[in-house]
Amino acid sequence: RTLAAIGRYGAPSDDSELDGYRGELRITGTSRIYVGDEQTWTWYRGTGVGPYPCMSALEALERVCDQLAAADVPLANIVTVLLDGCENLAMPGLVVGLLVRHLEDADRLLDPYLAEPVIWDLEFTRVVHESGWLAASSEGIVQAERRRWTLREAAMLLVLGADEARADELSAIGRQLVAAARRLAAEAPDDDASRAAAERWLVSVRAWASGLDRASYEARQEEGAVYIQSTPPDDVAAAMERDGEDMRLAGEATRLMVRYHVHRIQGVPDPVSAEDLVFDLGVAKDLLENPPALNPVGLWDIPAAVASAAVEAHILDGVDLPTESLLFAIEVVLRVGIGEPDPRQHEFEESYFEQG
């Protein structure tokens, strides 16, 4: 109920809104309801909207878990204690991160998480947020570079290191993953847009599942190096190709987010020429008119960041921009300024101050 009330500025939430924060997972061997969303999942990284004491405690707990693992406490024991009585997504998020970083010692502990399509989605979202300015420090964390791994990279490591029996197990997990996704997709609202989105999601899930099938991997030698990659089934590859434009736009959205938002927050020098601004404003316009399904942030966030940079460059630095580009940038800034974009689910002013 607290999560549902965040976007309502503390106003009472209707009971019908609460189901969106409950999800069923079988990560402990039995079905259980966990409360939370993609924000809750990333609390241990400091990148989600949530209570700072809880986030700080989870960040400290992760380091304690590393210390226990270094002292040869079995990961199975650590995970059992962490999930005992757990009814929220914050702790499973920490557990997945812990197991991926200690994957060589995790045996089959990650398997139930690999069979849950919702967890794949949550991990993809977490990785996008890793580039943000709020992410907690990883100094001293074991295998910190794996923070940028999704479950796709973890699955590849497991498959390539598996014997024949283990490879069969992982392939079966891939089939479980697809079956679970089909059940969830069947619950989508009965309208054309929702059904189309569910079908696109199923294509993605089938591609993830193919990464758990050793038969999908092939190696090639190129310029003295060996490259290994997983190739999804032909029908999945064909469907993904049809969605290639959406993926291209999502990639462009991520590029612009890093360039005009993340780098500015982090103080990373990233000179932008007039030609860059004109091109990026064109991309921002395309993102507004044809928003990708995999947009890493809200509809207006990236266009607003590019537009404000263009207006600032024109007014403060005297950068000459074509009239059409400049008018678009001004229009976006004004429309955002008067509050035309709908508030996001968890948007309230206090949630975006950095910790400390």
Side-chain angles (χ1 to χ4, degrees):
R1 190 174 295 277
T2 300
L3 286 171
I6 287 178
R8 302 171 64 90
Y9 297 90
S13 55
D14 189 89
D15 287 347
S16 62
E17 300 178 58
L18 304 183
D19 288 342
Y21 297 92
R22 299 188 181 112
E24 183 178 348
L25 299 174
R26 296 183 60 88
I27 54 178
T28 60
T30 59
S31 179
R32 189 163 192 167
I33 299 297
Y34 293 85
V35 177
D37 58 7
E38 69 275 5
Q39 301 284 342
T40 314
W41 185 263
T42 61
W43 280 0
Y44 82 100
R45 294 296 298 124
T47 57
V49 175
Y52 289 159
C54 294
M55 296 164 76
S56 179
L58 287 165
E59 292 166 20
L61 179 58
E62 184 185 36
R63 294 178 180 274
V64 171
C65 291
D66 274 354
Q67 294 170 4
L68 292 173
D72 294 327
V73 176
L75 283 172
N77 293 3
I78 298 173
V79 171
T80 298
V81 172
L82 292 177
L83 295 181
D84 184 29
C86 176
E87 297 180 341
N88 63 75
L89 287 178
M91 198 63 80
L94 185 154
V95 167
V96 169
L98 177 70
L99 294 178
V100 169
R101 292 189 298 101
H102 294 268
L103 196 56
E104 290 81 357
D105 301 316
D107 194 28
R108 290 166 172 77
L109 292 174
L110 192 63
D111 288 8
Y113 302 88
L114 293 172
E116 297 284 355
V118 171
I119 290 181
W120 285 74
D121 276 333
L122 291 169
E123 277 293 280
F124 280 117
T125 301
R126 179 195 59 77
V127 170
V128 170
H129 291 167
E130 282 293 325
S131 60
W133 71 98
L134 287 176
S137 171
S138 293
E139 183 178 354
I141 290 290
V142 174
Q143 298 275 33
E145 66 278 2
R146 293 187 183 179
R147 298 281 205 204
R148 299 190 178 276
W149 282 21
T150 66
L151 289 182
R152 183 186 290 122
E153 288 77 19
M156 175 181 285
L157 183 60
L158 288 173
V159 170
L160 296 181
D163 58 23
E164 185 174 349
R166 178 61 173 148
D168 289 342
E169 291 178 3
L170 292 169
S171 182
I173 291 172
R175 293 191 293 272
Q176 295 172 26
L177 174 66
V178 174
R182 292 191 188 282
R183 289 193 296 271
L184 291 173
E187 300 172 2
D190 190 21
D191 60 80
D192 291 343
S194 297
R195 286 196 298 269
E199 286 301 318
R200 287 196 301 269
W201 182 64
L202 280 175
V203 168
S204 297
V205 174
R206 290 184 62 200
W208 306 339
S210 69
L212 288 161
D213 183 2
R214 178 178 285 177
S216 72
Y217 284 86
E218 58 182 21
R220 72 179 192 278
Q221 192 164 3
E222 192 174 297
E223 298 180 355
V226 176
Y227 294 88
I228 301 175
Q229 66 178 22
S230 171
T231 303
D234 291 342
D235 62 325
V236 173
M240 292 176 69
E241 186 175 348
R242 291 194 297 271
D243 291 336
E245 178 62 14
D246 188 89
M247 296 178 68
R248 183 193 69 80
L249 280 175
E252 284 289 85
T254 301
R255 178 183 68 83
L256 295 183
M257 179 182 70
V258 171
R259 183 174 204 178
Y260 291 97
H261 180 62
V262 175
H263 282 178
R264 289 193 166 212
I265 292 295
Q266 294 177 340
V268 176
D270 192 355
V272 181
S273 66
E275 291 75 16
D276 291 337
L277 285 170
V278 171
F279 179 82
D280 290 344
L281 284 168
V283 175
K285 184 176 182 181
D286 204 5
L287 289 171
L288 273 179
E289 295 174 350
N290 305 288
L294 300 175
N295 204 340
V297 288
L299 173 64
W300 287 86
D301 292 346
I302 293 169
V306 179
S308 61
V311 172
E312 178 182 312
H314 178 73
I315 295 176
L316 299 183
D317 302 326
V319 176
D320 190 24
L321 297 173
T323 302
E324 182 180 358
S325 298
L326 186 58
L327 287 176
F328 169 73
I330 293 172
E331 179 187 3
V332 169
V333 171
L334 290 176
R335 291 173 69 180
V336 172
I338 64 176
E340 179 170 331
D342 293 331
R344 288 173 294 187
Q345 184 178 23
H346 300 286
E347 188 169 62
F348 63 107
E349 185 176 353
E350 291 79 2
S351 68
Y352 291 96
F353 287 111
E354 294 193 39
Q355 296 182 59

